[in-house]
PDB file of all heavy atoms in Angstrom:
ATOM      1  N   TRP A 208     -23.772   8.000  33.626  1.00  0.00           N
ATOM      2  CA  TRP A 208     -23.073   6.732  33.877  1.00  0.00           C
ATOM      3  C   TRP A 208     -21.596   6.701  33.569  1.00  0.00           C
ATOM      4  O   TRP A 208     -20.922   5.926  34.169  1.00  0.00           O
ATOM      5  CB  TRP A 208     -23.768   5.598  33.132  1.00  0.00           C
ATOM      6  CG  TRP A 208     -23.519   5.616  31.652  1.00  0.00           C
ATOM      7  CD1 TRP A 208     -24.259   6.385  30.791  1.00  0.00           C
ATOM      8  CD2 TRP A 208     -22.575   4.990  30.812  1.00  0.00           C
ATOM      9  NE1 TRP A 208     -23.832   6.305  29.525  1.00  0.00           N
ATOM     10  CE2 TRP A 208     -22.778   5.331  29.531  1.00  0.00           C
ATOM     11  CE3 TRP A 208     -21.547   4.063  31.181  1.00  0.00           C
ATOM     12  CZ2 TRP A 208     -21.912   4.882  28.419  1.00  0.00           C
ATOM     13  CZ3 TRP A 208     -20.762   3.585  30.080  1.00  0.00           C
ATOM     14  CH2 TRP A 208     -21.028   4.041  28.753  1.00  0.00           C
ATOM     15  N   LYS A 209     -21.093   7.724  32.783  1.00  0.00           N
ATOM     16  CA  LYS A 209     -19.771   7.809  32.515  1.00  0.00           C
ATOM     17  C   LYS A 209     -18.955   8.646  33.577  1.00  0.00           C
ATOM     18  O   LYS A 209     -17.800   8.816  33.418  1.00  0.00           O
ATOM     19  CB  LYS A 209     -19.501   8.567  31.136  1.00  0.00           C
ATOM     20  CG  LYS A 209     -19.888   7.623  29.907  1.00  0.00           C
ATOM     21  CD  LYS A 209     -19.395   8.313  28.674  1.00  0.00           C
ATOM     22  CE  LYS A 209     -19.814   7.535  27.430  1.00  0.00           C
ATOM     23  NZ  LYS A 209     -19.270   8.103  26.226  1.00  0.00           N
ATOM     24  N   TYR A 210     -19.723   9.334  34.347  1.00  0.00           N
ATOM     25  CA  TYR A 210     -19.146  10.280  35.284  1.00  0.00           C
ATOM     26  C   TYR A 210     -18.823   9.511  36.665  1.00  0.00           C
ATOM     27  O   TYR A 210     -19.699   8.885  37.193  1.00  0.00           O
ATOM     28  CB  TYR A 210     -20.084  11.480  35.550  1.00  0.00           C
ATOM     29  CG  TYR A 210     -19.403  12.472  36.520  1.00  0.00           C
ATOM     30  CD1 TYR A 210     -18.628  13.480  36.046  1.00  0.00           C
ATOM     31  CD2 TYR A 210     -19.661  12.356  37.875  1.00  0.00           C
ATOM     32  CE1 TYR A 210     -17.969  14.295  36.970  1.00  0.00           C
ATOM     33  CE2 TYR A 210     -19.037  13.219  38.801  1.00  0.00           C
ATOM     34  CZ  TYR A 210     -18.198  14.198  38.352  1.00  0.00           C
ATOM     35  OH  TYR A 210     -17.559  15.085  39.213  1.00  0.00           O
ATOM     36  N   ASN A 211     -17.641   9.753  37.086  1.00  0.00           N
ATOM     37  CA  ASN A 211     -17.170   9.132  38.344  1.00  0.00           C
ATOM     38  C   ASN A 211     -16.567  10.183  39.216  1.00  0.00           C
ATOM     39  O   ASN A 211     -15.564  10.823  38.906  1.00  0.00           O
ATOM     40  CB  ASN A 211     -16.179   8.043  37.995  1.00  0.00           C
ATOM     41  CG  ASN A 211     -15.528   7.412  39.255  1.00  0.00           C
ATOM     42  OD1 ASN A 211     -15.879   7.747  40.361  1.00  0.00           O
ATOM     43  ND2 ASN A 211     -14.544   6.579  38.960  1.00  0.00           N
ATOM     44  N   PRO A 212     -17.174  10.359  40.381  1.00  0.00           N
ATOM     45  CA  PRO A 212     -16.652  11.463  41.306  1.00  0.00           C
ATOM     46  C   PRO A 212     -15.243  11.347  41.577  1.00  0.00           C
ATOM     47  O   PRO A 212     -14.492  12.300  41.798  1.00  0.00           O
ATOM     48  CB  PRO A 212     -17.481  11.273  42.577  1.00  0.00           C
ATOM     49  CG  PRO A 212     -18.809  10.694  42.077  1.00  0.00           C
ATOM     50  CD  PRO A 212     -18.445   9.791  40.936  1.00  0.00           C
ATOM     51  N   GLY A 213     -14.611  10.101  41.531  1.00  0.00           N
ATOM     52  CA  GLY A 213     -13.214   9.902  41.740  1.00  0.00           C
ATOM     53  C   GLY A 213     -12.379  10.592  40.580  1.00  0.00           C
ATOM     54  O   GLY A 213     -11.197  10.842  40.889  1.00  0.00           O
ATOM     55  N   ASP A 214     -12.956  10.885  39.475  1.00  0.00           N
ATOM     56  CA  ASP A 214     -12.242  11.579  38.428  1.00  0.00           C
ATOM     57  C   ASP A 214     -11.789  12.972  38.883  1.00  0.00           C
ATOM     58  O   ASP A 214     -10.720  13.451  38.485  1.00  0.00           O
ATOM     59  CB  ASP A 214     -13.033  11.669  37.119  1.00  0.00           C
ATOM     60  CG  ASP A 214     -13.330  10.322  36.482  1.00  0.00           C
ATOM     61  OD1 ASP A 214     -12.799   9.279  37.023  1.00  0.00           O
ATOM     62  OD2 ASP A 214     -14.100  10.283  35.529  1.00  0.00           O
ATOM     63  N   VAL A 215     -12.553  13.584  39.721  1.00  0.00           N
ATOM     64  CA  VAL A 215     -12.229  14.881  40.216  1.00  0.00           C
ATOM     65  C   VAL A 215     -11.092  14.832  41.186  1.00  0.00           C
ATOM     66  O   VAL A 215     -10.135  15.635  41.236  1.00  0.00           O
ATOM     67  CB  VAL A 215     -13.469  15.702  40.830  1.00  0.00           C
ATOM     68  CG1 VAL A 215     -13.064  17.063  41.243  1.00  0.00           C
ATOM     69  CG2 VAL A 215     -14.519  15.742  39.828  1.00  0.00           C
ATOM     70  N   ASP A 216     -11.099  13.726  42.035  1.00  0.00           N
ATOM     71  CA  ASP A 216     -10.019  13.511  42.992  1.00  0.00           C
ATOM     72  C   ASP A 216      -8.732  13.490  42.202  1.00  0.00           C
ATOM     73  O   ASP A 216      -7.670  14.037  42.677  1.00  0.00           O
ATOM     74  CB  ASP A 216     -10.221  12.282  43.799  1.00  0.00           C
ATOM     75  CG  ASP A 216     -11.579  12.251  44.557  1.00  0.00           C
ATOM     76  OD1 ASP A 216     -12.140  13.315  44.803  1.00  0.00           O
ATOM     77  OD2 ASP A 216     -12.182  11.152  44.736  1.00  0.00           O
ATOM     78  N   ALA A 217      -8.702  12.695  41.125  1.00  0.00           N
ATOM     79  CA  ALA A 217      -7.466  12.557  40.341  1.00  0.00           C
ATOM     80  C   ALA A 217      -7.121  14.015  39.699  1.00  0.00           C
ATOM     81  O   ALA A 217      -5.929  14.335  39.636  1.00  0.00           O
ATOM     82  CB  ALA A 217      -7.657  11.481  39.223  1.00  0.00           C
ATOM     83  N   ARG A 218      -8.150  14.678  39.214  1.00  0.00           N
ATOM     84  CA  ARG A 218      -7.948  15.939  38.554  1.00  0.00           C
ATOM     85  C   ARG A 218      -7.223  16.896  39.532  1.00  0.00           C
ATOM     86  O   ARG A 218      -6.433  17.773  39.062  1.00  0.00           O
ATOM     87  CB  ARG A 218      -9.276  16.440  38.131  1.00  0.00           C
ATOM     88  CG  ARG A 218      -9.304  17.907  37.594  1.00  0.00           C
ATOM     89  CD  ARG A 218     -10.621  18.328  37.018  1.00  0.00           C
ATOM     90  NE  ARG A 218     -10.593  19.713  36.633  1.00  0.00           N
ATOM     91  CZ  ARG A 218     -10.005  20.197  35.587  1.00  0.00           C
ATOM     92  NH1 ARG A 218      -9.453  19.400  34.650  1.00  0.00           N
ATOM     93  NH2 ARG A 218     -10.051  21.443  35.337  1.00  0.00           N
ATOM     94  N   LEU A 219      -7.565  16.775  40.830  1.00  0.00           N
ATOM     95  CA  LEU A 219      -7.016  17.687  41.764  1.00  0.00           C
ATOM     96  C   LEU A 219      -5.492  17.456  41.920  1.00  0.00           C
ATOM     97  O   LEU A 219      -4.777  18.266  42.455  1.00  0.00           O
ATOM     98  CB  LEU A 219      -7.651  17.591  43.125  1.00  0.00           C
ATOM     99  CG  LEU A 219      -9.126  18.117  43.146  1.00  0.00           C
ATOM    100  CD1 LEU A 219      -9.900  17.708  44.412  1.00  0.00           C
ATOM    101  CD2 LEU A 219      -9.182  19.600  42.892  1.00  0.00           C
ATOM    102  N   LYS A 220      -5.009  16.274  41.386  1.00  0.00           N
ATOM    103  CA  LYS A 220      -3.562  15.999  41.472  1.00  0.00           C
ATOM    104  C   LYS A 220      -2.965  16.117  39.991  1.00  0.00           C
ATOM    105  O   LYS A 220      -2.093  15.349  39.695  1.00  0.00           O
ATOM    106  CB  LYS A 220      -3.330  14.534  42.010  1.00  0.00           C
ATOM    107  CG  LYS A 220      -4.001  14.264  43.352  1.00  0.00           C
ATOM    108  CD  LYS A 220      -3.956  12.817  43.726  1.00  0.00           C
ATOM    109  CE  LYS A 220      -4.923  12.557  44.872  1.00  0.00           C
ATOM    110  NZ  LYS A 220      -5.276  11.068  45.015  1.00  0.00           N
ATOM    111  N   TRP A 221      -3.536  16.966  39.222  1.00  0.00           N
ATOM    112  CA  TRP A 221      -3.192  17.096  37.774  1.00  0.00           C
ATOM    113  C   TRP A 221      -1.640  17.186  37.559  1.00  0.00           C
ATOM    114  O   TRP A 221      -1.077  16.415  36.837  1.00  0.00           O
ATOM    115  CB  TRP A 221      -3.832  18.323  37.215  1.00  0.00           C
ATOM    116  CG  TRP A 221      -3.574  18.406  35.699  1.00  0.00           C
ATOM    117  CD1 TRP A 221      -2.592  19.041  35.109  1.00  0.00           C
ATOM    118  CD2 TRP A 221      -4.382  17.881  34.662  1.00  0.00           C
ATOM    119  NE1 TRP A 221      -2.685  18.995  33.752  1.00  0.00           N
ATOM    120  CE2 TRP A 221      -3.830  18.250  33.484  1.00  0.00           C
ATOM    121  CE3 TRP A 221      -5.592  17.130  34.689  1.00  0.00           C
ATOM    122  CZ2 TRP A 221      -4.361  17.871  32.227  1.00  0.00           C
ATOM    123  CZ3 TRP A 221      -6.130  16.786  33.424  1.00  0.00           C
ATOM    124  CH2 TRP A 221      -5.513  17.106  32.245  1.00  0.00           C
ATOM    125  N   ASP A 222      -0.983  18.096  38.343  1.00  0.00           N
ATOM    126  CA  ASP A 222       0.460  18.250  38.123  1.00  0.00           C
ATOM    127  C   ASP A 222       1.237  17.046  38.508  1.00  0.00           C
ATOM    128  O   ASP A 222       2.272  16.633  37.814  1.00  0.00           O
ATOM    129  CB  ASP A 222       0.960  19.481  38.914  1.00  0.00           C
ATOM    130  CG  ASP A 222       0.350  20.807  38.363  1.00  0.00           C
ATOM    131  OD1 ASP A 222      -0.103  20.788  37.184  1.00  0.00           O
ATOM    132  OD2 ASP A 222       0.405  21.733  39.126  1.00  0.00           O
ATOM    133  N   ALA A 223       0.861  16.358  39.564  1.00  0.00           N
ATOM    134  CA  ALA A 223       1.592  15.152  39.981  1.00  0.00           C
ATOM    135  C   ALA A 223       1.394  14.038  38.903  1.00  0.00           C
ATOM    136  O   ALA A 223       2.366  13.323  38.580  1.00  0.00           O
ATOM    137  CB  ALA A 223       1.033  14.634  41.310  1.00  0.00           C
ATOM    138  N   TYR A 224       0.176  13.988  38.372  1.00  0.00           N
ATOM    139  CA  TYR A 224       0.024  12.987  37.251  1.00  0.00           C
ATOM    140  C   TYR A 224       0.883  13.372  36.053  1.00  0.00           C
ATOM    141  O   TYR A 224       1.461  12.471  35.429  1.00  0.00           O
ATOM    142  CB  TYR A 224      -1.429  12.927  36.816  1.00  0.00           C
ATOM    143  CG  TYR A 224      -2.181  11.864  37.614  1.00  0.00           C
ATOM    144  CD1 TYR A 224      -3.001  12.152  38.753  1.00  0.00           C
ATOM    145  CD2 TYR A 224      -1.925  10.496  37.322  1.00  0.00           C
ATOM    146  CE1 TYR A 224      -3.679  11.155  39.424  1.00  0.00           C
ATOM    147  CE2 TYR A 224      -2.630   9.452  38.087  1.00  0.00           C
ATOM    148  CZ  TYR A 224      -3.474   9.793  39.082  1.00  0.00           C
ATOM    149  OH  TYR A 224      -4.074   8.806  39.763  1.00  0.00           O
ATOM    150  N   GLN A 225       0.976  14.622  35.680  1.00  0.00           N
ATOM    151  CA  GLN A 225       1.706  15.025  34.501  1.00  0.00           C
ATOM    152  C   GLN A 225       3.136  14.671  34.745  1.00  0.00           C
ATOM    153  O   GLN A 225       3.857  14.115  33.793  1.00  0.00           O
ATOM    154  CB  GLN A 225       1.523  16.537  34.189  1.00  0.00           C
ATOM    155  CG  GLN A 225       0.112  16.980  33.839  1.00  0.00           C
ATOM    156  CD  GLN A 225      -0.382  16.401  32.497  1.00  0.00           C
ATOM    157  OE1 GLN A 225       0.246  16.723  31.502  1.00  0.00           O
ATOM    158  NE2 GLN A 225      -1.472  15.644  32.433  1.00  0.00           N
ATOM    159  N   ALA A 226       3.664  14.857  35.948  1.00  0.00           N
ATOM    160  CA  ALA A 226       5.025  14.531  36.270  1.00  0.00           C
ATOM    161  C   ALA A 226       5.264  13.033  36.158  1.00  0.00           C
ATOM    162  O   ALA A 226       6.342  12.492  35.672  1.00  0.00           O
ATOM    163  CB  ALA A 226       5.458  15.058  37.647  1.00  0.00           C
ATOM    164  N   ALA A 227       4.241  12.261  36.620  1.00  0.00           N
ATOM    165  CA  ALA A 227       4.403  10.763  36.615  1.00  0.00           C
ATOM    166  C   ALA A 227       4.448  10.234  35.118  1.00  0.00           C
ATOM    167  O   ALA A 227       5.150   9.351  34.800  1.00  0.00           O
ATOM    168  CB  ALA A 227       3.288  10.171  37.397  1.00  0.00           C
ATOM    169  N   TYR A 228       3.542  10.976  34.323  1.00  0.00           N
ATOM    170  CA  TYR A 228       3.562  10.666  32.839  1.00  0.00           C
ATOM    171  C   TYR A 228       4.936  11.018  32.242  1.00  0.00           C
ATOM    172  O   TYR A 228       5.468  10.115  31.448  1.00  0.00           O
ATOM    173  CB  TYR A 228       2.484  11.375  32.151  1.00  0.00           C
ATOM    174  CG  TYR A 228       1.159  10.587  32.072  1.00  0.00           C
ATOM    175  CD1 TYR A 228       0.010  10.943  32.839  1.00  0.00           C
ATOM    176  CD2 TYR A 228       1.015   9.428  31.248  1.00  0.00           C
ATOM    177  CE1 TYR A 228      -1.161  10.168  32.799  1.00  0.00           C
ATOM    178  CE2 TYR A 228      -0.139   8.709  31.143  1.00  0.00           C
ATOM    179  CZ  TYR A 228      -1.205   9.090  31.925  1.00  0.00           C
ATOM    180  OH  TYR A 228      -2.408   8.388  31.872  1.00  0.00           O
ATOM    181  N   GLU A 229       5.471  12.140  32.587  1.00  0.00           N
ATOM    182  CA  GLU A 229       6.754  12.489  32.036  1.00  0.00           C
ATOM    183  C   GLU A 229       7.852  11.412  32.349  1.00  0.00           C
ATOM    184  O   GLU A 229       8.603  11.088  31.516  1.00  0.00           O
ATOM    185  CB  GLU A 229       7.179  13.863  32.488  1.00  0.00           C
ATOM    186  CG  GLU A 229       6.328  14.971  31.869  1.00  0.00           C
ATOM    187  CD  GLU A 229       6.450  16.389  32.309  1.00  0.00           C
ATOM    188  OE1 GLU A 229       7.054  16.491  33.431  1.00  0.00           O
ATOM    189  OE2 GLU A 229       6.105  17.300  31.623  1.00  0.00           O
ATOM    190  N   ALA A 230       7.814  10.973  33.636  1.00  0.00           N
ATOM    191  CA  ALA A 230       8.778   9.918  34.040  1.00  0.00           C
ATOM    192  C   ALA A 230       8.620   8.710  33.224  1.00  0.00           C
ATOM    193  O   ALA A 230       9.534   8.079  32.743  1.00  0.00           O
ATOM    194  CB  ALA A 230       8.711   9.671  35.554  1.00  0.00           C
ATOM    195  N   ALA A 231       7.371   8.247  33.060  1.00  0.00           N
ATOM    196  CA  ALA A 231       7.088   7.002  32.367  1.00  0.00           C
ATOM    197  C   ALA A 231       7.488   7.137  30.864  1.00  0.00           C
ATOM    198  O   ALA A 231       8.049   6.227  30.300  1.00  0.00           O
ATOM    199  CB  ALA A 231       5.668   6.647  32.462  1.00  0.00           C
ATOM    200  N   LEU A 232       7.167   8.262  30.211  1.00  0.00           N
ATOM    201  CA  LEU A 232       7.528   8.462  28.809  1.00  0.00           C
ATOM    202  C   LEU A 232       9.017   8.531  28.639  1.00  0.00           C
ATOM    203  O   LEU A 232       9.509   8.081  27.578  1.00  0.00           O
ATOM    204  CB  LEU A 232       6.896   9.814  28.422  1.00  0.00           C
ATOM    205  CG  LEU A 232       5.369   9.897  28.307  1.00  0.00           C
ATOM    206  CD1 LEU A 232       4.890  11.330  28.161  1.00  0.00           C
ATOM    207  CD2 LEU A 232       4.811   8.989  27.136  1.00  0.00           C
TER     208      LEU A 232
END
Side-chain angles (χ1 to χ4, degrees):
Chain A
W208 67 277
K209 290 189 181 186
Y210 181 86
N211 174 2
D214 294 354
V215 182
D216 304 334
R218 176 175 170 77
L219 294 169
K220 304 169 197 164
W221 185 273
D222 292 343
Y224 268 105
Q225 297 292 302
Y228 268 108
E229 287 171 344
L232 293 166

